Amino acid sequence: MLDRALPVLDVQGLKTVFKTRGGEVHAVNNVSFDLKAGELLGVVGESGSGKSVTMMSLLGLLPMPPAEIRAGSVMFDGEDLLNVSQEKLRSVRGGKIGFVFQDPMTSLNPVFPVGYQIAEPLRKHMGMSKKDAAIRAKELLELVGIPDADQRLLDYPHQFSGGMRQRVMIAIALACDPQVLIADEPTTALDVTIQAQILELMKELRDKLGMAVIWITHDLGVIAGIADRVMVMYGGQVVEHAPVQELFTNPQHPYTSALLKTIPSISGERAARLTVIEGQPPLVVGPPTACPFRDRCAKAMPVCALKVPPRYEIGEGHDTACFLADPLEVANAG
Amino acid sequence: MLTFTIRRLLLSIPTLLFIAFVIFMLLELAPGDPMAQMPLTIPPEVKEKMRLALGLGEPWWVRFPLWLKQFFIVEPQYWIDGIFGTNFADGAQRIISFQSRSPVFETIAQRMPQTLWVVGMSYVVGVLIALPIGIISAYKQYSVFDQTGTFVSMIGFSVPPFFSGVLLIVIFSVQLKWLPSIYDTTHQVTSWDTFLFQLKQMIMPVMVLALQTTAQVSRYMRASMLDNLGQDYVRTARAKGMTESVVVMKHVLRNSMIPVVTVIALGIPAIFGGAIITEQIFKVNGLGQLLIIALQGNDIPMVMTITFLLAVLIVMMNLIADILYGILDPRIRYD
Ligand SMILES: Nc1ncnc2c1ncn2[C@@H]1O[C@H](COP(=O)(O)OP(=O)(O)OP(=O)(O)O)[C@@H](O)[C@H]1O
Ligand SMILES: [Mg+2]
């Protein structure tokens, strides 16, 4: 069913730069991917690889300036979200596409009760009355597992723990039954049991509503358990993209292989932040001219410093941006 | 919140008593003689009698408690008597001005409306202009509007009222002859024309005082807005599909107002201080002018009372600022 479905979201050639005093930071370089209805796409990559910036670019949520979207298209609902009116964009945000941000401690407004903050999108997108919105807000809080939802609606964010705030954020994102949910490390602040609950909830909603999910995480263990496909990012680029089984059993990009080695051996234990690979992630000032991973790559070839590797298709739905996948380049390198 | 307010009110009593004592001793130790402006022809022994009649024969430790008693007990009694027709005061001695020989509070009550009109109006006008300027400046940071606002508030900060006031008089009264240069306090508003005249004579003093208020409050508002516009919750509000007006005027503004409200409350005593000079320039016979004349004439009871009332205002505004902070920011809990 998944393969036949048309993509709900189709991103092509996305380029996002930040104009800073130190020069142009090319945070997202030529990123393309698609998302089908009811599918869960995992996005992994170490800190600073451009995962959050990519997702925020889709909905125009970056501060501009300094951010600027240089190129690309984001097709959703038959329209390019990079080229629609503000009005249209607002109707998509929070309505058809829900967004869970990375930092739950600061992502809620401190001076409004959480009930009000959950009700806001309901009133805007679903045209609910105050009363209906309050009822639905309570249901949503229960859905994400917050006890005493009735009373907690009137509480302010500072009265919730980090994990509970994260769940409130998820409730807000799910409020209007979105077609697409973009979740930026939604479970990092949660303990394992709650994390499992949220994962269960996601699967359930995906099956029930046909909701598609983009799940950003550092935790490859979570990805293995929940994702259909995985996209690995590095230095603002997609370096490998494959169905989840394929990625874990047959990784092609040296970065992916290194990542997989960082998974802790005892299953179920949470993965540490992915910084255990030798070397530092690159600072992407100026447009990329070479493979971003070459300095940390054990298998680097001369060509890696000369041009940006294209994404080589190497199997069913599996591609990698590495010259090792190109027999010609490998032969040249001798 | 209630217990907090009561506790703070109780705490302000010793504070105010201490302030009263400091003011009293400052006036006591300051050189100057209430008799200095009497004609030289009055013989010294007559002057001495007059001094005694003013109560200056007593040492300070007698006069200070007496003043306290008059201020906190006798004067409120007269006030209540005046309203309800009772007779609590029973002819007790009120605080009497050295110069006019009439009760200090009666003079203050006469002068208060002028000051309240000019000062109060200018503060309201200043704040009402400042808030939108601050909001727009922050939202459109570095735009022409913002740059202009920065420039104007720099002027407001750096040009003192005695200069801007005189400048306005030269331009609008002397050159253009549009506005009166002297504030006519005997003027009564009875018709449309007299109302227009009242507006005309208020414009300049109000503008001079409002310029200062606008400069300060708009800067605070801008800084506070900028602080909040960069917060994560703003992005969340946008990600929910809220319109820019809801994002800015509700989510951001509600947070930005918290520190600004404090600044506005604490600025009220300061603007009364600023009025002292402005009233001199525009010849408004309000409290500021009264204080200056009392100072020049060594009218100690008058100076003492007006200064102390200012101190009360400062202490009260501090309390109000704290209470408002607690109301606006749900994270603050006082008890
Ligand atoms: N406002 C900004 N100005 C300049 N550079 C920025 C800005 N925001 C992000 N970047 C840069 O964009 C790059 C990608 O950042 P991004 O937040 O997408 O990383 P990430 O993959 O989400 O990392 P993490 O796992 O830590 O969340 C980083 O190099 C970062 O320095
Ligand atoms: Mg991120």
Side-chain angles (χ1 to χ4, degrees):
Chain A
M1 169 217 151
L2 291 182
D3 287 344
R4 268 177 283 120
L6 277 172
V8 275
L9 189 68
D10 190 2
V11 179
Q12 291 299 327
L14 189 69
K15 266 190 211 241
T16 306
V17 298
F18 290 97
K19 289 185 173 159
T20 64
R21 259 175 242 159
E24 278 184 355
V25 176
H26 286 243
V28 177
N29 292 302
N30 208 4
V31 165
S32 305
F33 65 93
D34 62 9
L35 185 70
K36 296 176 184 75
E39 181 187 41
L40 202 148
L41 174 69
V43 180
V44 290
E46 70 194 302
S47 198
S49 56
K51 306 181 297 290
S52 302
V53 173
T54 302
M55 297 312 156
M56 285 189 240
S57 302
L58 305 186
L59 287 176
L61 288 172
L62 290 168
M64 305 188 195
E68 187 188 319
I69 296 177
R70 279 281 160 80
S73 66
V74 178
M75 295 308 291
F76 177 79
D77 240 7
E79 277 180 285
D80 181 0
L81 293 185
L82 300 181
N83 266 320
V84 294
S85 67
Q86 282 296 311
E87 188 59 43
K88 169 76 189 170
L89 194 57
R90 276 197 293 270
S91 74
V92 172
R93 289 176 185 165
K96 289 175 182 152
I97 302 183
F99 212 123
V100 179
F101 291 102
Q102 194 166 0
D103 194 346
M105 299 311 277
T106 53
S107 289
L108 291 168
N109 193 327
V111 303
F112 294 110
V114 298
Y116 176 83
Q117 299 190 49
I118 301 173
E120 250 183 347
L122 291 169
R123 303 200 56 195
K124 173 167 170 93
H125 300 292
M126 319 267 269
M128 284 190 190
S129 70
K130 250 190 186 146
K131 224 165 136 199
D132 292 345
I135 294 168
R136 172 88 175 124
K138 180 180 159 259
E139 285 171 14
L140 283 160
L141 276 192
E142 278 163 356
L143 190 72
V144 293
I146 291 183
D148 293 330
D150 241 343
Q151 282 127 60
R152 306 244 53 183
L153 283 179
L154 296 175
D155 283 351
Y156 291 90
H158 72 274
Q159 291 161 297
F160 290 76
S161 69
M164 286 175 125
R165 283 187 222 183
Q166 187 66 284
R167 280 184 269 169
V168 172
M169 282 300 297
I170 294 171
I172 291 174
L174 293 176
C176 302
D177 297 332
Q179 278 168 267
V180 175
L181 178 79
I182 302 174
D184 195 348
E185 304 194 31
T187 53
T188 5
L190 306 180
D191 56 70
V192 184
T193 38
I194 302 297
Q195 194 179 338
Q197 275 175 32
I198 298 282
L199 289 175
E200 245 350 275
L201 175 71
M202 292 293 162
K203 283 187 197 162
E204 208 181 293
L205 287 168
R206 175 179 56 159
D207 297 340
K208 213 164 73 188
L209 308 168
M211 179 176 81
V213 182
I214 298 176
W215 191 283
I216 302 175
T217 184
H218 285 95
D219 195 336
L220 284 164
V222 170
I223 287 288
I226 181 172
D228 300 308
R229 278 190 296 148
V230 185
M231 183 165 97
V232 183
M233 289 191 68
Y234 188 85
Q237 301 177 25
V238 178
V239 293
E240 185 156 11
H241 162 239
V244 66
Q245 273 303 321
E246 171 83 2
L247 188 94
F248 278 85
T249 53
N250 183 25
Q252 289 298 311
H253 199 285
Y255 178 65
T256 315
S257 311
L259 264 190
L260 291 173
K261 285 197 197 106
T262 65
I263 303 181
S265 48
I266 311 158
S267 60
E269 191 187 314
R270 294 176 81 193
R273 288 224 144 200
L274 305 171
T275 45
V276 279
I277 305 171
E278 272 306 293
Q280 290 292 313
L283 239 179
V284 269
V285 176
T289 52
C291 172
F293 190 58
R294 67 181 189 284
D295 291 339
R296 296 164 78 186
C297 182
K299 298 175 185 164
M301 302 180 288
V303 66
C304 301
L306 299 177
K307 48 186 180 178
V308 183
R311 282 167 72 169
Y312 294 101
E313 175 103 38
I314 54 161
E316 175 80 38
H318 187 175
D319 61 67
T320 178
C322 180
F323 290 119
L324 289 171
D326 188 341
L328 225 89
E329 299 289 1
V330 178
N332 277 349
Chain B
M1 187 68 88
L2 188 67
T3 47
F4 167 79
T5 311
I6 292 168
R7 203 172 59 223
R8 279 288 303 270
L9 277 173
L10 289 178
L11 266 177
S12 61
I13 293 173
T15 314
L16 284 172
L17 284 179
F18 180 72
I19 294 172
F21 182 69
V22 170
I23 301 172
F24 187 89
M25 288 318 282
L26 274 176
L27 291 173
E28 180 71 18
L29 296 173
D33 179 5
M35 295 298 110
Q37 290 184 335
M38 294 289 153
L40 287 172
T41 48
I42 300 180
E45 56 274 16
V46 179
K47 272 195 181 172
E48 197 48 41
K49 271 193 187 143
M50 289 171 76
R51 290 178 62 90
L52 290 178
L54 291 176
L56 284 170
E58 304 284 353
W60 66 265
W61 60 82
V62 174
R63 278 182 291 126
F64 180 60
L66 179 67
W67 181 87
L68 285 181
K69 180 182 163 230
Q70 288 172 333
F71 188 94
F72 285 107
I73 300 168
V74 179
E75 291 294 344
Q77 282 175 339
Y78 272 102
W79 192 56
I80 293 168
D81 290 350
I83 296 173
F84 300 106
T86 49
N87 189 22
F88 286 120
D90 200 17
Q93 178 62 54
R94 302 183 66 174
I95 304 173
I96 298 294
S97 157
F98 285 173
Q99 281 178 312
S100 67
R101 316 298 334 255
S102 60
V104 163
F105 271 94
E106 274 178 17
T107 320
I108 291 177
Q110 281 166 11
R111 302 297 188 93
M112 188 76 96
Q114 278 85 274
T115 299
L116 279 187
W117 263 107
V118 174
V119 173
M121 189 61 92
S122 65
Y123 205 59
V124 171
V125 169
V127 169
L128 286 183
I129 297 175
L131 295 184
I133 290 182
I135 295 169
I136 301 171
S137 295
Y139 190 63
K140 304 249 179 246
Q141 196 188 4
Y142 305 133
S143 64
V144 178
F145 184 93
D146 184 28
Q147 312 273 7
T148 316
T150 306
F151 180 71
V152 172
S153 53
M154 209 175 65
I155 294 177
F157 265 117
S158 50
V159 178
F162 58 78
F163 181 79
S164 51
V166 173
L167 188 72
L168 284 188
I169 291 179
V170 169
I171 296 174
F172 292 104
S173 305
V174 181
Q175 301 288 333
L176 297 171
K177 297 198 173 22
W178 286 353
L179 301 167
S181 73
I182 293 178
Y183 191 93
D184 178 7
T185 33
T186 57
H187 180 71
Q188 298 276 336
V189 178
T190 50
S191 63
W192 182 243
D193 282 346
T194 51
F195 175 71
L196 277 186
F197 181 79
Q198 174 68 12
L199 272 188
K200 267 187 174 175
Q201 69 171 355
M202 274 174 64
I203 287 178
M204 284 200 293
V206 165
M207 281 306 147
V208 168
L209 281 173
L211 179 66
Q212 280 195 310
T213 308
T214 304
Q216 289 172 17
V217 175
S218 69
R219 288 281 96 181
Y220 280 113
M221 190 73 223
R222 177 179 181 274
S224 186
M225 287 291 287
L226 281 178
D227 237 25
N228 279 288
L229 276 167
Q231 298 287 317
D232 286 347
Y233 70 78
V234 180
R235 195 177 54 200
T236 306
R238 292 204 173 105
K240 290 197 288 188
M242 298 297 114
T243 58
E244 281 302 288
S245 68
V246 171
V247 171
V248 176
M249 298 309 286
K250 204 165 203 171
H251 286 263
V252 179
L253 187 61
R254 222 2 257 290
N255 283 279
S256 309
M257 279 314 286
I258 296 170
V260 175
V261 162
T262 313
V263 169
I264 292 174
L266 294 181
I268 291 176
I271 188 99
F272 273 92
I276 295 175
I277 294 163
T278 319
E279 287 187 351
Q280 280 298 105
I281 297 165
F282 293 101
K283 309 274 185 307
V284 180
N285 66 346
L287 286 179
Q289 201 196 40
L290 183 63
L291 180 62
I292 295 281
I293 293 170
L295 274 171
Q296 286 163 349
N298 277 306
D299 188 350
I300 291 169
M302 184 65 87
V303 175
M304 173 83 203
T305 308
I306 296 180
T307 319
F308 185 66
L309 283 176
L310 260 178
V312 173
L313 188 69
I314 292 171
V315 171
M316 286 303 122
M317 284 305 152
N318 265 296
L319 176 59
I320 289 176
D322 280 351
I323 293 173
L324 285 176
Y325 212 108
I327 293 174
L328 288 175
D329 191 341
R331 284 163 296 187
I332 308 273
R333 278 291 161 266
Y334 287 124
D335 19 44

